[in-house]
């Protein structure tokens, strides 16, 4: 039985990044992946979805310039070429991950790994012994067994469509459903979102959600919140999505029904009960170092609960590796979250409701893209919201709706993590012209000190 310092089950973002870092730190590492390196994120999640969204954003930008008669026409696009380009990007990134693991000295083993007692992993007929094991098996789409669910496609299948559907019903108004709904609507698909909860993005800053939803509706998306999908029926090559909305049964005839109601932890090769692995609801239970209740066994990423985000898995892997190496590691208190819709929605830290619940007296400042030089030059529409504590003036949270929100949130996340005060913001110098200026202006506006806002 070959001995390793670290065995990693799963080659998604958390697994492969930890494997590279561990090998670079001098550990003998083996990483098991039964499908494709990069996991859901690189292959059928974050990256391919963002490729589709990016092209949709570009088309919306061109259309706005056509309306202003700056461009003569919006031109034509090839959905097949978009899908081909998406796959080329995926292949390049997956190949890059493979190269990084190899150059770091990690051993990659293709096949399904089964975790056994005493940190032993079996893959096929071979067993491997590890001083430490990291479980990073990720998650998979949830399928709701409504009548006709077999007629639906999931988030993996929708990213492999060969033809643009003329109409689509999206079952689920979470991150995955919203991102795909916006992208396909921009391409010209008639989209209806059916969400069971009474509102979209219910945990986010209310003002930001209202602004965002008004922009999303301009894409022509029909949004049905508080609606329950009852069944899906075949209608020739079409589908009939039947749902209950405001006490009435409604039907939408469409070409595709996308089921995007969330994801659940994947336990392939992990028999938690037989191994005695502790659970926290549906997920593996871990402490702040990502340790499970079994000695030397860690869990990171979607299988361990928490934020189902690739960058959260990166951080969890770093925490686990630091513990294995006996090194200190301080993880950020807040994890930024981005929904890559049209427009993009990004947030970090607290909103007014959660700030009140935490005992603060929140004050909110805001700044609109329309009052920003770069925002005007780029023809963008959006808004920045900053929450501060009235007494201490510390920055508690930031929400950004608009172009490049996913980039601006990194600057905002640091401000929240370091609890920048009004005095800090006043002394901060931000490049001009830039969209980043709006974050500072919104923070100053919380105390009525924004210069460029009346």
């Amino acid at each position: 039985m070959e001995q390793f310092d670290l065995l990693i089950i799963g080659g998604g973002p958390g697994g492969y990044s930890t494997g590279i870092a561990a090998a670079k730190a001098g550990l003998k590492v083996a990483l098991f992946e039964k499908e494709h390196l990069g996991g859901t994120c690189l292959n059928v999640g974050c990256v391919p979805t963002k490729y589709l969204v990016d092209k949709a954003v570009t088309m919306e930008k061109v259309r706005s310039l056509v309306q202003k008669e700056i461009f003569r026409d919006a031109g034509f696009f090839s959905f097949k070429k978009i899908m081909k380009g998406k796959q080329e990007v995926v292949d390049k990134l997956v190949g890059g991950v493979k190269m990084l693991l190899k150059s770091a000295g990690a051993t990659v083993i293709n096949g399904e790994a089964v975790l056994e007692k005493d940190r032993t992993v079996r893959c096929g007929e071979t067993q491997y012994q590890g001083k430490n094991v990291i479980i990073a098996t990720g998650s998979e789409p949830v399928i709701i067994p409504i009548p006709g669910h077999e007629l639906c496609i999931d988030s993996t299948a929708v990213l492999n469509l060969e033809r643009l559907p003329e109409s689509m019903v999206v079952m689920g108004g979470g991150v995955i459903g919203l991102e795909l709904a916006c992208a396909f609507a921009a391409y010209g698909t008639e989209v209806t979102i059916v969400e069971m909860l009474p509102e979209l993005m219910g945990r986010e800053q209310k003002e930001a959600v209202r602004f965002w939803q008004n922009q999303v509706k301009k894409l022509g998306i029909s949004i049905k919140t508080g609606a329950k999908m009852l069944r899906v029926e075949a209608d020739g090559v079409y589908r009939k999505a039947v749902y209950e909305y405001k006490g009435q049964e409604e039907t939408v005839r469409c070409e595709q029904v996308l089921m995007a109601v969330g994801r659940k932890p994947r336990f392939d090769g992990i028999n938690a009960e037989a191994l005695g692995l502790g659970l926290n609801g549906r997920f593996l239970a871990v402490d702040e170092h990502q340790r499970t209740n079994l000695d030397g066994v860690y869990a990171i990423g979607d299988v361990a609960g928490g934020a189902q985000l690739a960058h959260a898995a990166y951080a969890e892997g770093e925490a686990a590796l630091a513990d294995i190496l006996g090194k200190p590691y301080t993880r950020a208190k807040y994890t930024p979250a981005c929904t890559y819709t049209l427009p993009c929605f990004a947030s970090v830290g607290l909103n007014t409701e959660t700030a009140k619940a935490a005992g603060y007296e929140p004050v909110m400042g805001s700044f609109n893209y329309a009052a920003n030089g770069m925002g005007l030059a780029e023809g963008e529409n959006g808004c920045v919201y900053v929450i501060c504590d009235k007494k201490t003036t510390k920055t508690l949270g930031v929400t950004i709706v608009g172009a490049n929100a996913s980039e601006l949130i990194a600057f905002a996340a640091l401000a929240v993590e370091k609890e920048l005060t009004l005095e800090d913001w006043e002394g901060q110098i931000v490049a001009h012209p830039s969209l980043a200026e709006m974050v500072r202006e919104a923070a100053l506006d919380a105390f009525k000190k924004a210069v460029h806002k009346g």
Side-chain angles (χ1 to χ4, degrees), residues 22-343:
K24 286 185 174 182
L27 299 185
K28 185 180 180 182
V29 178
L31 183 147
F32 301 87
E33 174 54 54
K34 72 172 186 175
E35 294 177 342
H36 305 288
L37 287 172
T40 296
C41 178
L42 265 64
N43 292 279
V44 291
C46 318
V47 172
T49 303
K50 302 317 164 283
Y51 187 92
L52 297 186
V53 169
D54 175 73
K55 305 306 169 281
V57 168
T58 301
M59 287 192 292
E60 286 297 297
K61 181 109 176 176
V62 171
R63 287 173 186 144
S64 70
L65 293 172
V66 170
Q67 290 174 355
K68 295 175 182 178
E69 298 183 348
I70 294 174
F71 284 8
R72 288 187 178 181
D73 60 63
F76 300 94
F77 70 92
S78 169
F79 185 71
K80 285 187 177 180
K81 289 287 181 67
I82 290 173
M83 298 302 273
K84 180 182 177 183
K86 176 265 297 181
Q87 193 58 47
E88 288 173 352
V89 168
V90 168
D91 292 343
K92 185 174 183 178
L93 286 171
V94 171
V97 168
K98 184 177 181 179
M99 181 193 69
L100 289 170
L101 284 161
K102 182 179 180 180
S103 63
T107 299
V108 177
I109 300 168
N110 300 112
E112 182 171 352
V114 177
L115 180 61
E116 299 179 337
K117 296 281 188 179
D118 302 319
R119 300 183 301 280
T120 300
V121 171
R122 176 171 48 82
C123 186
E125 300 301 318
T126 307
Q127 286 186 312
Y128 305 83
Q129 179 70 51
K131 293 179 182 178
N132 297 280
V133 173
I134 293 180
I135 301 170
T137 46
S139 62
E140 58 191 2
V142 170
I143 302 299
I144 303 297
I146 60 171
H149 67 86
E150 69 281 357
L151 300 172
C152 302
I153 57 175
D154 62 15
S155 57
T156 298
V158 78
L159 290 170
N160 290 296
L161 290 175
E162 295 182 356
R163 185 177 60 82
L164 181 69
E166 63 182 44
S167 54
M168 179 186 294
V169 169
V170 178
M171 181 180 170
V175 172
I176 298 169
L178 292 175
E179 290 182 353
L180 291 168
C182 285
F184 277 91
Y187 292 143
T189 301
E190 184 178 332
V191 176
T192 300
I193 296 174
V194 178
E195 168 56 50
M196 183 178 290
L197 294 176
E199 58 184 348
L200 299 177
M201 297 188 179
R203 297 180 180 179
E204 299 287 354
Q205 187 66 43
K206 302 301 182 186
E207 293 83 352
V209 174
R210 282 196 293 270
F211 183 96
W212 169 85
Q213 192 156 327
N214 287 334
Q215 299 304 308
V216 167
K217 286 181 178 178
K218 293 178 182 178
L219 293 171
I221 297 174
S222 175
I223 300 174
K224 304 286 186 178
T225 53
K228 180 182 179 181
M229 189 70 77
L230 300 175
R231 61 188 180 276
V232 177
E233 301 172 353
D235 183 15
V237 296
Y238 288 86
R239 305 284 183 260
K240 285 184 179 179
V242 185
Y243 56 90
E244 183 181 318
Y245 180 61
K246 294 184 178 180
Q248 301 293 321
E249 191 172 289
E250 295 187 1
T251 301
V252 174
R253 186 171 182 264
C254 59
E255 196 170 337
Q256 296 286 357
V257 177
L258 168 62
M259 188 175 288
V261 292
R263 300 182 66 84
K264 61 182 180 180
R266 176 179 284 168
F267 285 102
D268 296 356
I270 311 295
N271 189 329
E273 184 177 356
L275 293 166
L277 272 168
L279 297 175
N280 180 13
R282 297 184 302 164
F283 306 97
L284 294 179
V286 295
D287 64 10
E288 69 274 15
H289 302 285
Q290 304 302 131
R291 304 171 185 142
T292 68
N293 62 307
L294 300 183
D295 185 47
V297 179
Y298 300 75
I300 64 174
D302 290 0
V303 76
Q308 290 186 318
L309 301 166
H311 48 283
Y314 288 149
E316 290 164 6
E318 290 167 3
L321 180 58
D323 193 65
I324 291 169
L325 296 173
K327 294 183 176 181
Y329 178 80
T330 302
R331 200 185 317 189
K333 185 178 180 181
Y334 297 108
T335 302
C338 303
T339 303
Y340 296 83
T341 46
L342 280 68

